[in-house]
């Protein structure tokens, strides 16, 4: 096996100190200096170069039972990361290789080779493997094409459409022959981006008026597919606009993540009887079988320039928490990335 002559003995990492109530506060977290062990058999030591922060991480800060285990108090948190291998005790991964793994929120990570995926910086920028060609991209692809059963000619509505997932959903729908794609976002600047850069047929700023009224104006013939990143008022509006046989794929509900009281559900669920509509939640982890097809198809669109993406890059691990809070506030356009 290969070894780097001088390996780090310590590095910085973020720990969860207490479980946030409502909006996370800085005192719920700590950036600490921790020992970096040498890799054991079958492991590699990675110097992380880019870290991912995502809305779902808010759920892991709670002790509530969910689809993924909560972060442990007093322990380092986790998240997507990509970096360079600086020491290897694993067959098939050499020093100098770049890998994608799930041990972010830290500068250095010891990763079992079976949990590391080699990525090629010649094919796409390393940060793209955390977004457009990573978990967020696969989320968009699987949620639209499999969960929402998208078909050519469908009219599609996407909430949180300027985010990493939403912007890809809209573009994939257009590339696959949607009759109309409508998006909502939280600023006039993002609305302009959706139409002018991402090719949405229409978009609106949900802060400018009732979502139901703006959606009706943007999609006068209704919607066949709603891709939900937001929940709340958006979900109710989409049910109201749903055509017969319409499908709703629930990816996230960022509008309620920091609520301390249960949010009221849509008041018009009975309309699903009339439309024979379907609402289905999904997790990207259930759809990794689509990964090869996804990388081939979306990778081709990225290389050809047919699918565009943006990243909001925050520099420095010391700003990891602020970047995460920025995602919850909607500060990002496209994927939020932390560059170390």
């Amino acid at each position: 096996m290969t070894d780097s002559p001088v390996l780090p003995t310590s590095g910085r990492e973020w720990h969860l100190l207490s479980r946030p109530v409502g909006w996370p506060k800085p005192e719920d977290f700590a950036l600490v200096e921790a020992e970096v062990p040498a890799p054991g058999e079958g492991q590699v030591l990675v110097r992380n170069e880019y870290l991912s922060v995502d809305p779902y991480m808010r759920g892991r800060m709670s002790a509530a039972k969910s689809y993924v285990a909560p972060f442990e108090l007093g322990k380092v948190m986790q998240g997507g990361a990509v970096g360079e291998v600086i020491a290897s005790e694993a067959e098939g991964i050499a020093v100098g290789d770049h890998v994608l793994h799930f041990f972010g929120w830290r500068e250095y990570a010891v990763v079992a080779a079976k949990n590391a995926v080699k990525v090629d910086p010649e094919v796409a920028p390393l940060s793209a493997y955390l977004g457009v060609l990573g978990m967020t991209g696969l989320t968009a692809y699987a949620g639209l094409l499999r969960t929402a059963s998208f078909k050519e000619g469908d009219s599609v509505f996407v909430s949180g459409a300027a985010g990493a997932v939403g912007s890809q959903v809209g573009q994939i729908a257009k590339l696959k022959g949607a009759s109309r794609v409508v998006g909502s976002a939280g600023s006039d600047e993002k609305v302009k981006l959706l139409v002018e850069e991402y090719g949405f047929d229409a978009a609106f700023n949900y802060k400018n008026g009732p979502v139901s009224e703006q959606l009706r104006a943007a999609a006068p013939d209704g919607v066949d597919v709603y891709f939900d990143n937001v929940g709340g008022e958006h979900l109710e509006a989409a049910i109201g606009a749903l055509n017969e046989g319409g499908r709703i794929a629930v990816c996230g509900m960022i509008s309620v993540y920091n609520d301390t009281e249960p949010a009221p559900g849509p008041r018009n669920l009975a309309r699903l009887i009339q439309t024979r509509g379907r609402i289905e939640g999904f997790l990207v982890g259930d759809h990794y079988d689509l990964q090869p097809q996804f990388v081939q198809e979306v990778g081709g669109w990225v290389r050809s320039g047919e699918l565009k993406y943006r990243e909001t890059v925050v520099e420095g691990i010391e700003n990891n928490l602020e970047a995460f809070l920025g995602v919850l506030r909607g500060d990002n356009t496209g994927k939020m990335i932390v560059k170390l």
Side-chain angles (χ1 to χ4, degrees):
M1 297 301 169
T2 52
D3 241 318
S4 177
V6 181
L7 297 180
T9 56
S10 68
R12 292 176 293 172
E13 58 186 38
W14 281 95
H15 288 198
L16 182 67
L17 300 184
S18 56
R19 302 205 180 278
V21 176
W23 275 87
K25 301 180 293 297
E27 52 266 34
D28 294 324
F29 308 85
L31 181 61
V32 304
E33 191 83 18
E35 180 187 357
V36 175
E41 186 178 349
Q43 296 180 325
V44 296
L45 175 59
V46 182
R47 183 179 67 241
N48 288 334
E49 296 182 37
Y50 295 93
L51 308 179
S52 175
V53 287
D54 303 279
Y56 80 87
M57 294 173 175
R58 177 63 185 87
R60 296 197 69 187
M61 294 171 189
S62 162
K65 184 175 173 59
S66 183
Y67 60 88
V68 63
F71 292 132
E72 292 185 58
L73 292 180
K75 301 280 185 68
V76 61
M77 294 186 290
Q78 297 170 329
V82 65
E84 183 181 0
V85 175
I86 58 173
S88 175
E89 293 295 334
E91 295 284 353
I93 301 180
V95 169
D97 284 345
H98 290 85
V99 295
L100 173 68
H101 60 87
F102 207 65
F103 296 91
W105 290 79
R106 67 198 87 187
E107 291 180 301
Y108 299 94
V110 174
V111 183
K114 64 180 181 180
N115 295 327
V117 178
K118 283 206 286 188
V119 296
D120 188 349
E122 299 297 319
V123 171
L126 286 175
S127 58
Y129 293 101
L130 294 176
V132 67
L133 293 178
M135 186 174 72
T136 51
L138 182 59
T139 300
Y141 190 84
L144 177 68
L145 301 183
R146 180 176 278 174
T147 306
S149 305
F150 171 85
K151 59 184 185 299
E152 187 177 352
D154 278 344
S155 171
V156 177
F157 171 43
V158 188
S159 58
V165 174
S167 59
Q168 244 174 294
V169 171
Q171 291 183 83
I172 292 171
K174 290 293 290 184
L175 288 162
K176 290 281 193 179
S179 61
R180 188 168 182 79
V181 175
V182 174
S184 72
S187 73
D188 293 340
E189 182 184 17
K190 288 180 179 179
V191 166
K192 185 178 178 184
L193 174 74
L194 291 176
V195 175
E196 295 184 0
E197 185 166 332
Y198 294 148
F200 283 59
D201 296 291
F204 60 86
N205 181 347
Y206 66 85
K207 296 175 182 174
N208 287 349
V211 174
S212 58
E213 291 178 13
Q214 296 196 77
L215 177 58
R216 200 176 304 119
D221 296 325
V223 298
D224 302 301
V225 168
Y226 170 49
F227 193 102
D228 191 15
N229 290 305
V230 175
E233 185 186 359
H234 279 80
L235 178 56
E236 187 169 292
I239 293 170
L242 208 62
N243 290 331
E244 188 171 313
R247 290 87 64 204
I248 296 175
V250 181
C251 175
M253 292 195 174
I254 198 169
S255 70
V256 302
Y257 284 172
N258 293 304
D259 288 357
T260 54
E261 296 292 328
R267 296 166 295 181
N268 57 349
L269 281 173
R271 196 168 184 278
L272 294 175
I273 304 168
Q274 173 191 340
T275 60
R276 291 74 145 181
R278 167 168 65 85
I279 301 180
E280 184 177 343
F282 75 98
L283 296 173
V284 67
D286 296 333
H287 302 284
Y288 283 136
D289 61 296
L290 290 175
Q291 180 84 19
Q293 175 186 325
F294 156 72
V295 169
Q296 182 178 17
E297 189 164 27
V298 176
W301 288 331
V302 169
R303 283 191 296 275
S304 69
E306 292 173 277
L307 192 146
K308 298 174 174 60
Y309 68 97
R310 285 205 180 186
E311 296 171 340
T312 299
V313 179
V314 172
E315 300 262 354
I317 193 170
E318 63 276 7
N319 295 313
N320 220 72
L321 176 59
E322 183 54 34
F324 168 69
L325 295 175
V327 170
L328 297 183
R329 290 191 299 261
D331 294 351
N332 56 305
T333 298
K335 182 79 182 96
M336 182 71 92
I337 300 283
V338 178
K339 182 179 188 292
L340 302 192

